[in-house]
Coordinates of all heavy atoms in Angstrom, one line a residue:
L533 N 2.6 7.7 8.4 CA 2.8 7.9 9.9 C 2.6 6.5 10.6 O 3.4 6.2 11.5 CB 1.8 8.9 10.4 CG 1.8 9.2 11.9 CD1 3.1 9.6 12.4 CD2 0.7 10.2 12.3
L534 N 1.6 5.8 10.3 CA 1.4 4.5 10.9 C 2.6 3.5 10.7 O 3.0 2.8 11.6 CB 0.1 3.8 10.4 CG -1.1 4.5 10.9 CD1 -2.3 4.1 10.0 CD2 -1.4 4.0 12.4
G535 N 3.2 3.6 9.4 CA 4.3 2.7 9.1 C 5.6 3.2 9.8 O 6.4 2.4 10.1
E536 N 5.7 4.5 10.1 CA 6.9 4.9 10.8 C 6.8 4.9 12.3 O 7.7 4.5 13.0 CB 7.2 6.4 10.4 CG 8.4 7.0 11.1 CD 8.9 8.2 10.4 OE1 9.0 8.2 9.1 OE2 9.3 9.2 11.1
D537 N 5.6 5.2 12.8 CA 5.5 5.4 14.3 C 4.2 4.8 14.9 O 3.7 5.3 15.9 CB 5.5 6.9 14.6 CG 6.3 7.2 15.9 OD1 6.8 6.2 16.5 OD2 6.4 8.4 16.2
G538 N 3.7 3.7 14.2 CA 2.4 3.1 14.6 C 2.3 2.8 16.1 O 1.4 3.1 16.8
P539 N 3.4 2.0 16.6 CA 3.3 1.6 18.0 C 3.1 2.8 19.0 O 2.4 2.7 20.0 CB 4.7 0.9 18.3 CG 5.0 0.4 16.9 CD 4.5 1.4 15.9
R540 N 3.7 3.9 18.7 CA 3.6 5.1 19.6 C 2.1 5.6 19.6 O 1.6 6.0 20.6 CB 4.5 6.2 19.1 CG 4.5 7.4 20.0 CD 5.7 8.2 19.8 NE 5.6 9.5 20.4 CZ 6.3 10.6 19.9 NH1 7.1 10.4 18.9 NH2 6.1 11.8 20.4
L541 N 1.5 5.5 18.5 CA 0.1 6.0 18.4 C -0.8 5.0 19.1 O -1.7 5.4 19.9 CB -0.4 6.1 16.9 CG 0.4 7.0 16.0 CD1 -0.3 7.2 14.7 CD2 0.5 8.4 16.6
Y542 N -0.6 3.7 18.9 CA -1.4 2.7 19.6 C -1.3 2.9 21.1 O -2.2 2.8 21.9 CB -0.8 1.3 19.3 CG -1.3 0.6 18.0 CD1 -0.4 0.2 17.1 CD2 -2.7 0.3 17.8 CE1 -0.8 -0.5 15.9 CE2 -3.1 -0.3 16.7 CZ -2.1 -0.7 15.7 OH -2.6 -1.4 14.6
E543 N 0.0 3.1 21.6 CA 0.2 3.2 23.0 C -0.5 4.4 23.6 O -1.1 4.3 24.6 CB 1.8 3.4 23.2 CG 2.3 3.0 24.6 CD 3.8 3.1 24.6 OE1 4.4 2.4 23.7 OE2 4.3 3.9 25.4
A544 N -0.4 5.5 22.9 CA -1.1 6.8 23.3 C -2.6 6.6 23.4 O -3.2 7.1 24.3 CB -0.7 7.9 22.5
A545 N -3.1 5.9 22.4 CA -4.6 5.7 22.3 C -5.0 4.8 23.5 O -6.0 5.1 24.2 CB -5.0 5.0 21.0
S546 N -4.2 3.8 23.8 CA -4.5 2.9 24.9 C -4.4 3.6 26.2 O -5.3 3.4 27.1 CB -3.5 1.7 24.8 OG -3.5 1.0 25.9
E547 N -3.4 4.4 26.4 CA -3.3 5.1 27.7 C -4.5 6.0 27.9 O -4.9 6.2 29.0 CB -2.0 6.0 27.7 CG -0.8 5.3 28.2 CD 0.5 6.0 28.0 OE1 0.5 7.2 27.8 OE2 1.6 5.4 28.0
A548 N -4.9 6.6 26.8 CA -6.1 7.6 26.9 C -7.4 6.8 26.9 O -8.4 7.5 27.2 CB -6.0 8.5 25.7
G549 N -7.4 5.5 26.7 CA -8.7 4.8 26.7 C -9.6 5.1 25.5 O -10.8 5.1 25.6
V550 N -9.0 5.5 24.4 CA -9.8 5.9 23.2 C -9.4 5.0 22.0 O -8.5 4.2 22.1 CB -9.6 7.4 22.9 CG1 -10.1 8.2 24.0 CG2 -8.1 7.7 22.6
D551 N -10.1 5.2 20.9 CA -9.9 4.4 19.7 C -9.0 5.0 18.7 O -8.9 6.2 18.6 CB -11.3 4.2 18.9 CG -12.2 3.2 19.6 OD1 -11.9 2.7 20.7 OD2 -13.2 2.9 18.9
L552 N -8.3 4.1 17.9 CA -7.5 4.5 16.8 C -7.9 3.7 15.6 O -7.8 2.4 15.7 CB -6.0 4.3 17.1 CG -5.0 4.5 15.9 CD1 -5.1 5.9 15.3 CD2 -3.6 4.1 16.3
H553 N -8.5 4.3 14.6 CA -9.0 3.5 13.4 C -8.3 4.0 12.2 O -8.1 5.2 12.0 CB -10.5 3.7 13.2 CG -11.3 3.1 14.4 ND1 -11.6 1.8 14.4 CD2 -11.9 3.7 15.4 CE1 -12.3 1.5 15.5 NE2 -12.5 2.7 16.2
F554 N -8.0 3.1 11.2 CA -7.2 3.5 10.0 C -7.6 2.7 8.8 O -6.7 2.3 8.0 CB -5.7 3.5 10.4 CG -5.2 2.2 11.0 CD1 -4.8 1.2 10.3 CD2 -5.2 2.2 12.4 CE1 -4.3 0.0 10.9 CE2 -4.8 1.0 13.1 CZ -4.3 -0.1 12.3
E555 N -8.8 2.4 8.6 CA -9.2 1.6 7.4 C -8.8 2.2 6.1 O -8.4 1.4 5.2 CB -10.8 1.4 7.4 CG -11.3 0.5 6.3 CD -10.7 -0.9 6.4 OE1 -11.0 -1.7 7.3 OE2 -9.8 -1.2 5.5
A556 N -8.8 3.5 6.0 CA -8.4 4.2 4.7 C -6.9 4.1 4.5 O -6.5 4.3 3.3 CB -8.8 5.6 4.8
A557 N -6.1 3.7 5.5 CA -4.7 3.7 5.3 C -4.2 2.6 4.3 O -3.1 2.8 3.7 CB -4.0 3.6 6.6
V558 N -4.9 1.5 4.2 CA -4.5 0.5 3.3 C -5.6 0.1 2.4 O -6.7 -0.2 2.8 CB -4.0 -0.8 4.0 CG1 -3.4 -1.8 3.0 CG2 -2.9 -0.4 5.0
A559 N -5.4 0.1 1.1 CA -6.3 -0.3 0.0 C -7.6 0.5 0.1 O -8.7 -0.1 -0.1 CB -6.6 -1.8 0.2
G560 N -7.5 1.8 0.3 CA -8.7 2.7 0.2 C -10.0 2.2 0.7 O -10.1 1.9 1.9
A561 N -11.0 2.1 -0.1 CA -12.3 1.8 0.3 C -12.5 0.3 0.8 O -13.4 0.0 1.4 CB -13.3 2.0 -0.8
I562 N -11.5 -0.5 0.4 CA -11.7 -2.0 0.6 C -11.6 -2.2 2.1 O -10.7 -1.9 2.8 CB -10.6 -2.8 -0.1 CG1 -10.5 -2.4 -1.6 CG2 -10.8 -4.3 0.1 CD1 -9.3 -3.1 -2.3
P563 N -12.7 -2.9 2.7 CA -12.6 -3.3 4.1 C -11.5 -4.4 4.2 O -11.7 -5.5 3.7 CB -14.0 -3.9 4.4 CG -14.9 -3.4 3.3 CD -14.0 -3.2 2.1
L564 N -10.4 -4.0 4.7 CA -9.2 -4.9 4.8 C -8.6 -4.9 6.2 O -8.3 -5.9 6.8 CB -8.2 -4.6 3.8 CG -6.9 -5.4 3.8 CD1 -7.2 -6.9 3.5 CD2 -5.9 -4.9 2.8
I565 N -8.5 -3.6 6.7 CA -7.9 -3.5 8.1 C -8.8 -4.1 9.1 O -8.3 -4.8 10.0 CB -7.7 -2.0 8.4 CG1 -6.7 -1.4 7.4 CG2 -7.2 -1.8 9.8 CD1 -5.3 -2.0 7.5
R566 N -10.1 -3.8 9.0 CA -11.0 -4.4 10.1 C -11.1 -5.9 10.0 O -10.9 -6.6 11.0 CB -12.4 -3.7 10.0 CG -13.3 -4.1 11.2 CD -14.4 -3.2 11.4 NE -14.0 -1.8 11.5 CZ -14.8 -0.8 11.1 NH1 -16.0 -1.0 10.7 NH2 -14.3 0.4 11.2
P567 N -11.2 -6.5 8.8 CA -11.1 -8.0 8.7 C -9.8 -8.5 9.3 O -9.8 -9.5 10.0 CB -11.2 -8.3 7.2 CG -12.0 -7.1 6.7 CD -11.6 -5.9 7.5
M568 N -8.7 -7.8 9.1 CA -7.4 -8.3 9.6 C -7.3 -8.1 11.1 O -6.8 -9.0 11.8 CB -6.2 -7.5 9.0 CG -6.1 -7.6 7.5 SD -5.2 -9.0 6.9 CE -3.6 -8.8 7.6
R569 N -7.8 -7.0 11.6 CA -7.7 -6.7 13.1 C -8.8 -7.5 13.9 O -8.5 -7.9 15.0 CB -8.0 -5.3 13.4 CG -6.9 -4.3 13.1 CD -7.3 -2.9 13.4 NE -6.8 -2.4 14.6 CZ -7.0 -1.1 15.1 NH1 -7.8 -0.3 14.4 NH2 -6.5 -0.7 16.2
E570 N -10.0 -7.8 13.2 CA -11.1 -8.3 14.0 C -11.5 -9.7 13.5 O -11.4 -10.7 14.2 CB -12.2 -7.4 14.1 CG -11.8 -6.0 14.7 CD -12.9 -5.0 14.9 OE1 -14.0 -5.4 15.2 OE2 -12.7 -3.8 14.6
S571 N -12.0 -9.7 12.2 CA -12.6 -11.0 11.7 C -11.6 -12.1 11.7 O -12.0 -13.3 11.9 CB -13.1 -10.8 10.3 OG -13.7 -9.5 10.1
L572 N -10.3 -11.9 11.4 CA -9.3 -13.0 11.3 C -8.5 -13.1 12.6 O -7.5 -13.8 12.6 CB -8.4 -12.7 10.2 CG -9.0 -12.8 8.8 CD1 -8.1 -12.3 7.7 CD2 -9.5 -14.2 8.5
A573 N -9.0 -12.5 13.7 CA -8.2 -12.5 15.0 C -8.1 -13.9 15.5 O -7.2 -14.1 16.4 CB -8.9 -11.5 16.0
G574 N -8.9 -14.8 15.1 CA -8.8 -16.2 15.7 C -8.1 -17.2 14.7 O -8.0 -18.3 15.0
D575 N -7.6 -16.7 13.6 CA -7.0 -17.5 12.6 C -5.5 -17.2 12.6 O -5.0 -16.3 13.3 CB -7.6 -17.2 11.2 CG -7.5 -18.4 10.3 OD1 -6.7 -19.2 10.4 OD2 -8.3 -18.4 9.3
Q576 N -4.8 -17.9 11.8 CA -3.3 -17.7 11.7 C -3.0 -17.3 10.2 O -3.2 -18.1 9.3 CB -2.6 -19.0 12.0 CG -1.1 -18.9 11.9 CD -0.4 -18.6 13.3 OE1 -0.5 -17.5 13.7 NE2 0.2 -19.6 13.9
V577 N -2.6 -16.1 10.0 CA -2.3 -15.6 8.6 C -0.9 -16.2 8.2 O 0.1 -16.1 9.0 CB -2.3 -14.1 8.5 CG1 -2.0 -13.6 7.1 CG2 -3.7 -13.6 8.9
R578 N -0.9 -16.7 7.0 CA 0.4 -17.2 6.4 C 1.0 -16.2 5.5 O 2.2 -16.1 5.4 CB 0.2 -18.5 5.7 CG -0.2 -19.6 6.6 CD -0.4 -20.9 5.7 NE -0.5 -22.1 6.6 CZ -1.3 -23.1 6.2 NH1 -1.9 -23.1 5.1 NH2 -1.4 -24.1 7.0
R579 N 0.2 -15.6 4.7 CA 0.7 -14.7 3.6 C -0.3 -13.6 3.2 O -1.5 -13.9 3.2 CB 0.9 -15.6 2.4 CG 1.7 -15.0 1.3 CD 2.1 -16.1 0.3 NE 3.2 -15.7 -0.5 CZ 3.1 -15.5 -1.9 NH1 2.0 -15.8 -2.5 NH2 4.2 -15.1 -2.5
V580 N 0.2 -12.5 2.9 CA -0.7 -11.4 2.4 C 0.0 -10.9 1.2 O 1.2 -10.5 1.2 CB -0.8 -10.2 3.4 CG1 -1.7 -9.1 2.9 CG2 -1.3 -10.7 4.8
M581 N -0.7 -10.9 0.1 CA 0.0 -10.5 -1.2 C -1.0 -9.7 -2.1 O -2.1 -10.2 -2.2 CB 0.5 -11.8 -2.0 CG 1.0 -11.4 -3.3 SD 1.6 -12.8 -4.3 CE 0.1 -13.3 -5.1
G582 N -0.6 -8.6 -2.5 CA -1.5 -7.9 -3.4 C -1.1 -6.5 -3.9 O 0.1 -6.1 -3.7
I583 N -2.0 -5.9 -4.6 CA -1.8 -4.6 -5.2 C -2.4 -3.6 -4.2 O -3.6 -3.6 -3.9 CB -2.5 -4.5 -6.5 CG1 -1.9 -5.5 -7.5 CG2 -2.5 -3.0 -7.1 CD1 -2.8 -5.7 -8.7
V584 N -1.5 -2.8 -3.6 CA -2.0 -1.9 -2.5 C -1.8 -0.4 -2.9 O -2.0 0.5 -2.0 CB -1.4 -2.2 -1.2 CG1 -1.8 -3.6 -0.6 CG2 0.1 -2.1 -1.2
N585 N -1.3 -0.1 -4.1 CA -1.2 1.3 -4.5 C -1.9 1.5 -5.8 O -1.6 0.9 -6.8 CB 0.3 1.6 -4.6 CG 0.5 3.1 -5.0 OD1 0.6 3.4 -6.2 ND2 0.6 4.0 -4.0
G586 N -2.9 2.4 -5.7 CA -3.7 2.7 -6.9 C -3.0 3.4 -8.0 O -3.2 3.1 -9.2
T587 N -2.2 4.4 -7.6 CA -1.4 5.2 -8.6 C -0.6 4.3 -9.5 O -0.6 4.4 -10.7 CB -0.6 6.2 -7.9 OG1 -1.4 7.0 -7.0 CG2 0.1 7.2 -8.9
T588 N 0.3 3.5 -8.9 CA 1.2 2.7 -9.7 C 0.4 1.6 -10.5 O 0.8 1.3 -11.6 CB 2.2 2.0 -8.8 OG1 1.6 1.4 -7.7 CG2 3.3 3.0 -8.4

Side-chain angles (χ1 to χ4, degrees):
L533 177 56
L534 287 157
E536 179 163 315
D537 220 0
R540 183 157 164 209
L541 301 187
Y542 277 123
E543 204 176 301
S546 166
E547 270 169 22
V550 294
D551 281 10
L552 169 64
H553 294 281
F554 48 91
E555 183 59 73
V558 184
I562 307 171
L564 177 62
I565 297 297
R566 190 160 308 149
M568 299 277 299
R569 282 176 105 182
E570 299 182 40
S571 320
L572 294 171
D575 206 338
Q576 179 95 288
V577 178
R578 290 181 173 147
R579 191 170 200 242
V580 181
M581 175 180 86
I583 297 164
V584 293
N585 182 269
T587 304
T588 47

